[in-house]
Amino acid sequence: MLYLVGLGLADETDITIKGLEVVKRAERVYLEAYTSILLVDKEKLEAFYGRSVIVADRELVEIGSDEILQGANDADIAFLVVGDPFGATTHIDLVLRARELGINIKTIPNASIMSAIGCAGLQLYNFGQTVSMVFFTETWKPSSYYDRIKENVSIGLHTLVLLDIKVKEQSLENLLKGRKIYEPPRYMTVAQCAAQMLNTEDERNEGVYGPDSLAIGAARVGAPDQKLVAGTLKELTEVDMGHPLHSLILLGKRTHELEKDFIREFAVDGATFDASWSKWYQTTS
Amino acid sequence: MLYLVGLGLADETDITIKGLEVVKRAERVYLEAYTSILLVDKEKLEAFYGRSVIVADRELVEIGSDEILQGANDADIAFLVVGDPFGATTHIDLVLRARELGINIKTIPNASIMSAIGCAGLQLYNFGQTVSMVFFTETWKPSSYYDRIKENVSIGLHTLVLLDIKVKEQSLENLLKGRKIYEPPRYMTVAQCAAQMLNTEDERNEGVYGPDSLAIGAARVGAPDQKLVAGTLKELTEVDMGHPLHSLILLGKRTHELEKDFIREFAVDGATFDASWSKWYQTTS
């Protein structure tokens, strides 16, 4: 049996009782470690589980999936995924490969940022499609996300923006020379995301949002030091949300007065918040 | 401190380690029991937690919130919510009331149907806004959900439809006579939902979807007997998915060939699936 086990969002105690039972009895335990991270390291997980964990990087999952699945017809293999196993990243290739090999699959769900973001106080019913923001470079500033946000904005919906992480990436030079030397990990901040969004709006100039559009920055959702900040995109370009992981919500117009009360509590500046709110956001009460 | 603790979706072992620690040490433990249900009863939870649990019905949460919050300035009160505390239903009134009273609040996230539905193999990125389907009556067939689906369909997105549950409802007669006699609980099935959707399409006739549109029925997501069925809406009106809870996904056009492979596996009928797929759904590969 292949078990896909969600770990939740913050630390080693966010695994479910059901998930922990699987981890304790599985033959081998893999930790998917390239699409998201917990806020604790592998050693802490191993101490908590009382057993060793094999880190599965992108190469292993995408090319070495048969290695992961080896023996799973007879024994239990646990594949641990930060968040929910079918949350932001679906490991559908791995599952399809397991199916081909006649391996049974079970999923143990857990919190995903895509639902836990509800902690910001906005109804999940009013979120449109989620988008991803990658790190821009001098020459590569993909803006397809902007089209998705435009669709959401046009029908009044909020957009959850998931921010890029770069783990175990090689520099172009090292990649070309075949040297397995990896850059230090990078995690996009709310401030970087807000700046990139404004950069794209400047380029595309379709008025989907602007410097005084309201957004919420979220950091370390589910952790004891979870932090939420509401403000204009311009304000958020200067906000320091602390350690990763960060996410951002661009506010849609379909909001409720109660939601306004809720998010105003963590506004960078109540006055700019109110000004932007009355200018751009209708409320139904 | 008020702890909002997510219970996940299926049974008593879906709580997280962190959540269970809170439940074990809290002064009082409430179980929100009217917007969703676990697949096990209160007694099973109490046996697992080793303590008693107070069932919080709608009346208590909406009118008696001060009773729930009593003493929470000094002691820990746990408010258990099936799924994620801020998932399909945000208990924002309770949280705002706690804030007014100067009570600190912590949330312990867990799986929500809004992310766990990813187990159907469709990327969550391609879901639009979620809608709710209520039980139609002879005289009341609200179709505002249809407008929401229309928006999603127009931009190629999937729609998750959450199905009505009626717990502790009074008949009109008992309500008028002030008799606290409650009807047996009712849980909408995938078949009922599909039939109501086709009923609305007949009424509204805007061609948002039709009898041969593809959808996925999901039952008991996260439980050992989780069931997924793909088929046309017409086929789904006749499908028996077993015990509650059920949900439905109306397929959008923004699908990937890999996703097709994944869902075809649980098609009611491979031939009608293929016919509808090639007629209505583009795939990007």
Side-chain angles (χ1 to χ4, degrees):
Chain A
M1 179 84 78
L2 171 67
Y3 283 94
L4 302 169
V5 181
L7 295 186
L9 298 167
D11 63 39
E12 71 280 9
T13 64
D14 285 324
I15 194 170
T16 65
I17 307 290
K18 193 181 280 174
L20 186 58
E21 282 167 7
V22 169
V23 169
K24 284 187 178 293
R25 73 160 190 266
E27 179 105 353
R28 294 193 308 282
V29 179
Y30 293 91
L31 171 65
E32 190 270 71
Y34 60 96
T35 62
S36 189
I37 54 152
L38 280 185
L39 310 175
V40 294
D41 57 21
K42 184 191 136 187
E43 286 64 38
K44 195 144 192 191
L45 288 184
E46 289 182 323
F48 189 74
Y49 302 155
R51 60 173 304 164
S52 68
V53 165
I54 305 160
V55 170
D57 59 16
R58 189 185 297 272
E59 208 178 315
L60 180 59
V61 177
E62 293 183 356
I63 301 164
S65 61
D66 282 8
E67 185 183 326
I68 295 174
L69 297 172
Q70 199 183 4
N73 280 304
D74 306 311
D76 290 339
I77 307 296
F79 185 77
L80 313 186
V81 181
V82 174
D84 185 85
F86 287 101
T89 307
T90 60
H91 290 282
I92 198 169
D93 313 50
L94 183 67
V95 172
L96 286 171
R97 182 63 187 146
R99 261 198 205 161
E100 275 174 23
L101 297 170
I103 295 166
N104 290 321
I105 302 148
K106 269 206 177 139
T107 304
I108 301 185
N110 208 322
S112 161
I113 188 61
M114 297 177 96
S115 50
I117 196 64
C119 69
L122 300 171
Q123 282 213 18
L124 291 182
Y125 285 99
N126 292 330
F127 279 75
Q129 57 200 314
T130 298
V131 304
S132 291
M133 177 69 82
V134 299
F135 280 111
F136 286 0
T137 66
E138 275 305 304
T139 53
W140 192 63
K141 299 182 170 62
S143 69
S144 58
Y145 79 88
Y146 182 84
D147 299 304
R148 304 282 91 79
I149 291 182
K150 187 178 181 179
E151 291 170 340
N152 289 343
V153 165
S154 72
I155 49 181
L157 299 177
H158 313 305
T159 305
L160 171 63
V161 187
L162 300 179
L163 311 192
D164 204 3
I165 77 172
K166 294 275 186 209
V167 183
K168 225 181 162 187
E169 298 274 325
Q170 289 164 281
S171 68
L172 187 59
E173 192 189 342
N174 285 326
L175 189 70
L176 291 174
K177 294 192 175 164
R179 294 190 295 216
K180 296 213 165 183
I181 300 171
Y182 303 100
E183 302 300 299
R186 290 192 299 151
Y187 307 97
M188 191 183 290
T189 65
V190 163
Q192 288 170 319
C193 175
Q196 291 195 175
M197 286 175 68
L198 291 176
N199 181 297
T200 303
E201 178 59 57
D202 281 347
E203 295 276 322
R204 299 279 300 263
N205 203 23
E206 298 173 34
V208 171
Y209 50 77
D212 62 349
S213 296
L214 288 175
I216 297 173
R220 302 172 301 284
V221 168
D225 62 344
Q226 167 179 310
K227 187 173 179 180
L228 296 167
V229 170
T232 64
L233 278 178
K234 186 161 185 312
E235 284 169 342
L236 291 189
T237 62
E238 286 166 16
V239 83
D240 178 6
M241 306 284 297
H243 298 293
L245 297 175
H246 295 183
S247 316
L248 183 146
I249 306 165
L250 182 70
L251 216 66
K253 290 195 176 175
R254 212 180 287 167
T255 48
H256 189 282
E257 197 62 32
L258 273 183
E259 295 176 314
K260 181 195 166 185
D261 295 347
F262 192 97
I263 61 179
R264 192 186 184 284
E265 185 84 5
F266 44 82
V268 176
D269 179 326
T272 55
F273 182 90
D274 291 340
S276 178
W277 186 278
S278 35
K279 187 169 169 197
W280 297 113
Y281 301 88
Q282 72 209 16
T283 61
T284 53
S285 52
Chain B
M1 178 85 77
L2 171 67
Y3 283 94
L4 301 169
V5 182
L7 294 186
L9 297 167
D11 63 38
E12 71 280 7
T13 64
D14 285 324
I15 194 169
T16 64
I17 306 291
K18 193 181 280 175
L20 187 58
E21 281 167 7
V22 169
V23 169
K24 284 188 179 292
R25 73 160 190 266
E27 178 107 353
R28 294 193 307 281
V29 178
Y30 293 91
L31 171 64
E32 192 271 71
Y34 60 96
T35 61
S36 188
I37 53 153
L38 280 186
L39 309 174
V40 294
D41 56 22
K42 182 191 136 185
E43 286 66 35
K44 196 145 191 191
L45 288 185
E46 289 182 323
F48 189 75
Y49 300 155
R51 58 173 306 163
S52 67
V53 166
I54 305 161
V55 169
D57 59 16
R58 188 185 298 271
E59 208 178 316
L60 180 60
V61 177
E62 293 184 354
I63 302 166
S65 61
D66 282 8
E67 186 184 326
I68 295 173
L69 297 173
Q70 200 183 3
N73 279 305
D74 307 309
D76 290 340
I77 306 297
F79 185 76
L80 313 186
V81 181
V82 174
D84 185 85
F86 287 101
T89 307
T90 59
H91 291 281
I92 198 170
D93 313 50
L94 183 68
V95 172
L96 286 172
R97 182 63 186 147
R99 259 198 207 163
E100 274 173 24
L101 297 171
I103 295 165
N104 290 321
I105 302 149
K106 269 206 176 139
T107 304
I108 300 184
N110 207 323
S112 161
I113 187 63
M114 298 177 94
S115 50
I117 196 64
C119 68
L122 300 171
Q123 281 212 18
L124 291 182
Y125 284 100
N126 292 330
F127 280 73
Q129 57 200 314
T130 298
V131 303
S132 290
M133 177 70 81
V134 299
F135 280 111
F136 285 1
T137 67
E138 276 304 305
T139 53
W140 192 63
K141 299 182 169 62
S143 69
S144 57
Y145 80 89
Y146 182 85
D147 299 306
R148 305 281 91 80
I149 292 182
K150 187 178 181 178
E151 290 170 341
N152 288 343
V153 165
S154 73
I155 50 180
L157 300 177
H158 313 305
T159 305
L160 171 62
V161 187
L162 300 179
L163 311 191
D164 204 2
I165 76 171
K166 293 277 187 205
V167 183
K168 226 182 161 187
E169 296 274 327
Q170 289 164 280
S171 66
L172 188 58
E173 192 189 343
N174 284 327
L175 189 69
L176 291 174
K177 294 192 175 161
R179 292 190 297 217
K180 296 213 165 180
I181 300 171
Y182 303 100
E183 302 299 300
R186 290 191 298 153
Y187 307 97
M188 191 182 290
T189 65
V190 163
Q192 288 171 318
C193 175
Q196 291 194 176
M197 285 174 69
L198 291 177
N199 179 298
T200 302
E201 179 59 57
D202 281 347
E203 295 274 323
R204 299 278 301 262
N205 203 25
E206 298 173 32
V208 171
Y209 50 79
D212 62 349
S213 295
L214 288 175
I216 296 173
R220 301 172 301 284
V221 167
D225 62 345
Q226 167 179 309
K227 188 172 180 180
L228 295 167
V229 170
T232 65
L233 278 178
K234 187 162 184 310
E235 284 170 342
L236 291 190
T237 63
E238 286 165 15
V239 83
D240 178 5
M241 306 284 297
H243 299 292
L245 297 176
H246 295 184
S247 316
L248 184 145
I249 306 165
L250 182 71
L251 215 67
K253 290 194 176 175
R254 212 180 288 166
T255 49
H256 189 282
E257 197 64 33
L258 274 183
E259 295 176 314
K260 182 195 167 186
D261 295 346
F262 192 97
I263 62 179
R264 193 187 182 283
E265 184 84 6
F266 43 82
V268 177
D269 179 327
T272 55
F273 181 91
D274 291 341
S276 177
W277 186 279
S278 34
K279 188 168 168 198
W280 297 113
Y281 302 88
Q282 70 207 20
T283 61
T284 54
S285 53

